[in-house]
Amino acid sequence: MEHKEKLEELNKASLEKAEEYLKSKGEIEQEHHEKISEAKKEWQASWNKFLEVLMVLEKLEI
């Protein structure tokens, strides 16, 4: 399970870096804010699917 913890830390760090970057750019227009929010949702959905695949592989002991 150690590898899952490392992956979670990487995911969290990536999201934090993205937030820092966006904050450094100042105020974002509403249209761009909506696109960024949608991209974050897609990122999280993809991340969850990735974790599901890892769990299946773990069960198969691959």
Side-chain angles (χ1 to χ4, degrees), residues 19-35:
E19 285 297 323
E20 287 177 22
Y21 176 75
L22 291 172
K23 287 179 183 177
S24 73
K25 294 299 179 183
E27 190 63 32
I28 300 172
E29 295 178 25
Q30 183 63 27
E31 177 185 340
H32 297 300
H33 181 70
E34 291 171 4
K35 287 181 181 179

Side-chain angles (χ1 to χ4, degrees), residues 18-62:
E19 285 297 323
E20 287 177 22
Y21 176 75
L22 291 172
K23 287 179 183 177
S24 73
K25 294 299 179 183
E27 190 63 32
I28 300 172
E29 295 178 25
Q30 183 63 27
E31 177 185 340
H32 297 300
H33 181 70
E34 291 171 4
K35 287 181 181 179
I36 291 169
S37 293
E38 185 62 31
K40 285 181 185 178
K41 288 177 188 175
E42 289 177 17
W43 173 280
Q44 193 59 46
S46 297
W47 179 254
N48 291 338
K49 288 180 183 178
F50 177 69
L51 289 179
E52 288 176 19
V53 169
L54 287 180
M55 288 172 45
V56 169
L57 292 175
E58 201 171 90
K59 286 180 183 177
L60 296 174
E61 296 180 356
I62 293 177

